[in-house]
Structure formats: structure tokens, C-alpha cells
């Protein structure tokens, strides 16, 4: 699918739930958020149907997100169904890792291509401070289980918060002896993320180079679906990556759209603009009706975000990342 800016949109992020078993301080309040009724969440059949239509329009890669996707039952079988759709080349999953170990074998059998595991620190006290849960040991078990399936790519996603005890060098070192790419993701000013400054890419690079030596840009074949750019560090098995949507804006190369757990198609993270695909499904609409709405939404995909602008537009998104889909 080609949008109004000539960008090839071939990557769909699908949120399967708004629920999460952690309470990360930059994502939701301690008491959690108001959850929608389960009947408002897309059913497995509805997700498959939308993805089938998307594949016919040119989507090739699907990432399942949440909330925490693994709190929803049947994710491995959903992966298998999506992998079977004509035109779909890759199905990957973003998870906090705490529920991963018991489901890892089923996900591998289903044909999962890759895992992004969110992990902001290896310090137990800091982990509990950030997530408000004592789940670090289970996350480590999930990473270990994932590495037992070498055909599945594993990446760590870390959001630098500017906390000294977070120890970003320790996170980066995960990729030293294991085939894991560690990516540092710039804090997005979405929902509770607006309350944190985080750290810039330059600050993190400086920190890592003091510990590990010079980082050199990686120029080999693509390592994923999105805009991450990577560096090599001598002696490291994995790469170090950065997704810096604010300071290193990459909207001109954006190849993604998002489907929320309630079936709303979002074309840009910052804005509410999009289409309600669930309504079409539940009102008996045809696949052609779905295609028409998807293509109409794509024509309105913004040129880029304006997070640094002081004035908020009327259509600026006010939901949190767990409600949108991480």
C-alpha cells in the first residue's frame, strides 16, 4: 500500500488486548487504567479477517502487541493462523517476558519469527520501582527460554529513564555473549510518558562508549521491520540499536499502521485519525468495505508527528500506550 507521501506501508502492529500484568510508571498509574469490556475487544476471528484483508492490500509483516499480549489466551494459535495467511511473511511479538517461558515452545511451533522483550533494568529493586511488580526472575526465564529456539530472533527493548540505578550498560551487555540485539527506545510523549524526559540517543551512546569502547554504525542487511538503526561493538555477538522517534525523526520512512485491540485503525501514533474497522465487521460489512475504509485512512496518514510543537491539535491522541498498542 502506498500512502499520500509515497511511503510503502507493509507493516501492521496489532494490539490483542488492553490488559497488562505490570504497571510501568511511564505507561499507566499504580491502580491501572479502566479496562474496556471484553466484548469490545476484537475476537480472534475478527483479527484474522482484518489481517487477511490487510495482506491482500500489501501488508507483509505483523507484530502482535498489547497491553501485554500473553495475558490473552490463544496467542500461539493466533500466530499460527496469521502465518498461514497468503502474503504474510513475518509474524513477531512484543512482550514484557514475564509470561513467556511457559508459552515459548507453543509460539515456536506456531511459526513465530521474532520476539521483542521489554526490559528496562537488570537491577531487581529498580525493576520493581519501574514496573511496580516483582517479576524480574520470570522475565529472565522468558529470555532464556526464547534463546533455546535459535531460529527466532530475540531483541531487548529498553526505555532509558535517566535513573542511575537502571544501569544501561548492564542491559547493553546482554548482547555481548548472546545473539540478542539490544535496542534503546526514546521515551515517547504519549500518556504518562509525557512526565519523563528520559535520555537522548547521544547520551546513551556516550555512556556505552565509556564502558565498551567505540561504537561503529552497522551497515549490513536489515535486522527488523521498523526504523531502528544499529551499531557494532567489538566483542559483542549482538548489535546495539536505537529507535529515537523524537530527536531523530524518521516519519519520512514510516512503513507502519496500527490496529488497536478494539479494532480502530491508527495511521500515526500521535493522532486520533483513522477508521473504526470493528464497526464495519459487526455491522455485516464485506471485505471490500474493509478495504475501502483502510485505503481511505491511508490517504489521511499524516506526513509526520509534531510532538515537539507546543500547541496540541484537536486530534492529538490522549490515550496511553497500553490502550493504543505498544
Amino acid at each position: 500500500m502506498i500512502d499520500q507521501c509515497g511511503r510503502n506501508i507493509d507493516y501492521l502492529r496489532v494490539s490483542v488486548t488492553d490488559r497488562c500484568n505490570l504497571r510501568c510508571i511511564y505507561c499507566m498509574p499504580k491502580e491501572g487504567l479502566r479496562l474496556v469490556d471484553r466484548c469490545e475487544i476484537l475476537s480472534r476471528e475478527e483479527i484474522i479477517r482484518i489481517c487477511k484483508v490487510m495482506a491482500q492490500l500489501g501488508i507483509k509483516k505483523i507484530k502482535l502487541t498489547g497491553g501485554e499480549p500473553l495475558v490473552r489466551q490463544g496467542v500461539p494459535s493466533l500466530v499460527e493462523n496469521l502465518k498461514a495467511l497468503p502474503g504474510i511473511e513475518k509474524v513477531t511479538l512484543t512482550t514484557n517476558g514475564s509470561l513467556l517461558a511457559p508459552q515459548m515452545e507453543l509460539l515456536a511451533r506456531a511459526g513465530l519469527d521474532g520476539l521483542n522483550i521489554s526490559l528496562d533494568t537488570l537491577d531487581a529493586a529498580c525493576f520493581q520501582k519501574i514496573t511496580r511488580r516483582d517479576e524480574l526472575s520470570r522475565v529472565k526465564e522468558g529470555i532464556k527460554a526464547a534463546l533455546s529456539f535459535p531460529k527466532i530472533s530475540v531483541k531487548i527493548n529498553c526505555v532509558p529513564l535517566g535513573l542511575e540505578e537502571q544501569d544501561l550498560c548492564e542491559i547493553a551487555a546482554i548482547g555481548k555473549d548472546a545473539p540478542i540485539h539490544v535496542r534503546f527506545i526514546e521515551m515517547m510523549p504519549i500518556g504518562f510518558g509525557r512526565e519523563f524526559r528520559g535520555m537522548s540517543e547521544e547520551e546513551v551512546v556516550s555512556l556505552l562508549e565509556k564502558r565498551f569502547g567505540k561504537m561503529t554504525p552497522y551497515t549490513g542487511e536489515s535486522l527488523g521491520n521498523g526504523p531502528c538503526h544499529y551499531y557494532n561493538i567489538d566483542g559483542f555477538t549482538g548489535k546495539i540499536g536505537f529507535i529515537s522517534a523524537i530527536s531523530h525523526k524518521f516519519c519520512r520512512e514510516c512503513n507502519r499502521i496500527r490496529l488497536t485491540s478494539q479494532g480502530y485503525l491508527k495511521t500515526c501514533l500521535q493522532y486520533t485519525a483513522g477508521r473504526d474497522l470493528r464497526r464495519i465487521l459487526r455491522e455485516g460489512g464485506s471485505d471490500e468495505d474493509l478495504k475501502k475504509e483502510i485505503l481511505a485512512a491511508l490517504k489521511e496518514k499524516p506526513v509526520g508527528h509534531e510532538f515537539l510543537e507546543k500547541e496540541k491539535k484537536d486530534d492529538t491522541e490522549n490515550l496511553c500506550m497500553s490502550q493504543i498498542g505498544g
Side-chain angles (χ1 to χ4, degrees):
M1 292 187 286
I2 306 299
D3 74 357
Q4 63 174 337
C5 299
R7 296 170 293 199
N8 181 25
I9 310 301
D10 62 357
Y11 175 28
L12 173 67
R13 296 175 69 93
V14 179
S15 173
V16 299
T17 182
D18 64 337
R19 290 151 169 80
C20 187
N21 59 326
L22 303 185
R23 294 291 181 269
C24 294
I25 56 178
Y26 53 82
C27 190
M28 63 175 70
K30 185 176 181 179
E31 64 275 12
L33 297 164
R34 187 188 70 82
L35 301 174
V36 302
D37 292 337
R38 292 187 184 275
C39 64
E40 296 181 45
I41 301 292
L42 290 180
S43 69
R44 172 176 152 179
E45 291 73 24
E46 289 172 330
I47 292 173
I48 294 169
R49 184 178 170 194
I50 290 174
C51 289
K52 179 182 178 181
V53 169
M54 290 282 193
Q56 292 170 355
L57 289 173
I59 291 294
K60 293 180 171 60
K61 296 161 284 191
I62 295 173
K63 183 177 292 295
L64 300 180
T65 71
E68 167 49 46
L70 294 181
V71 303
R72 177 168 177 163
Q73 293 185 344
V75 169
S77 61
L78 176 59
V79 169
E80 186 174 14
N81 293 142
L82 296 176
K83 281 282 289 187
L85 293 177
I88 298 301
E89 299 173 357
K90 284 187 177 182
V91 177
T92 58
L93 177 77
T94 290
T95 173
N96 63 39
S98 63
L99 304 173
L100 181 58
Q103 300 190 60
M104 192 60 234
E105 186 170 353
L106 290 175
L107 289 166
R109 287 182 185 175
L112 187 72
D113 294 291
L115 277 163
N116 290 2
I117 301 174
S118 300
L119 179 61
D120 293 332
T121 183
L122 285 169
D123 179 89
C126 187
F127 182 92
Q128 194 157 359
K129 177 180 179 179
I130 293 172
T131 67
R132 301 189 179 100
R133 296 291 186 271
D134 185 14
E135 296 286 351
L136 181 57
S137 61
R138 289 211 292 172
V139 175
K140 289 180 177 179
E141 290 172 7
I143 295 171
K144 182 179 179 180
L147 289 174
S148 65
F149 296 92
K151 291 185 179 180
I152 297 176
S153 67
V154 180
K155 298 171 183 173
I156 298 294
N157 287 348
C158 174
V159 179
L161 295 169
L163 303 174
E164 185 176 350
E165 64 269 32
Q166 194 177 0
D167 197 345
L168 301 182
C169 291
E170 190 177 20
I171 290 286
I174 294 174
K176 188 175 190 301
D177 299 317
I180 296 176
H181 302 313
V182 178
R183 293 117 56 85
F184 294 97
I185 301 178
E186 197 168 61
M187 178 65 69
M188 296 291 288
I190 292 283
F192 291 90
R194 296 190 185 101
E195 300 175 12
F196 295 86
R197 185 189 75 84
M199 293 176 66
S200 71
E201 177 175 329
E202 287 72 22
E203 288 175 304
V204 177
V205 168
S206 176
L207 188 69
L208 298 185
E209 288 191 330
K210 286 178 182 177
R211 174 75 67 87
F212 303 114
K214 184 67 176 176
M215 296 168 57
T216 57
Y218 168 74
T219 57
E221 64 181 26
S222 174
L223 298 176
N225 302 330
C228 188
H229 58 277
Y230 291 90
Y231 292 85
N232 291 308
I233 297 180
D234 285 346
F236 271 55
T237 303
K239 313 294 182 192
I240 301 297
F242 291 89
I243 301 176
S244 307
I246 308 302
S247 62
H248 296 70
K249 191 173 178 179
F250 45 74
C251 295
R252 285 182 297 179
E253 291 80 43
C254 182
N255 66 334
R256 69 185 62 187
I257 51 179
R258 298 169 181 265
L259 183 69
T260 73
S261 60
Q262 298 173 66
Y264 192 78
L265 176 63
K266 282 178 64 67
T267 58
C268 179
L269 185 60
Q270 184 178 9
Y271 302 110
T272 58
R275 292 294 189 279
D276 184 359
L277 302 186
R278 185 187 64 186
R279 177 187 59 79
I280 297 172
L281 292 174
R282 297 186 180 180
E283 290 181 358
S286 67
D287 286 357
E288 288 304 313
D289 293 327
L290 281 173
K291 289 179 182 178
K292 187 182 299 183
E293 287 294 280
I294 293 167
L295 293 174
L298 207 62
K299 287 182 179 178
E300 299 169 3
K301 181 174 170 65
V303 174
H305 70 69
E306 296 177 344
F307 282 119
L308 297 180
E309 298 297 320
K310 292 183 179 180
E311 281 191 30
K312 289 178 64 176
K313 294 185 177 180
D314 293 339
D315 60 348
T316 297
E317 182 64 83
N318 288 313
L319 294 176
C320 299
M321 286 298 292
S322 63
Q323 297 170 308
I324 298 169

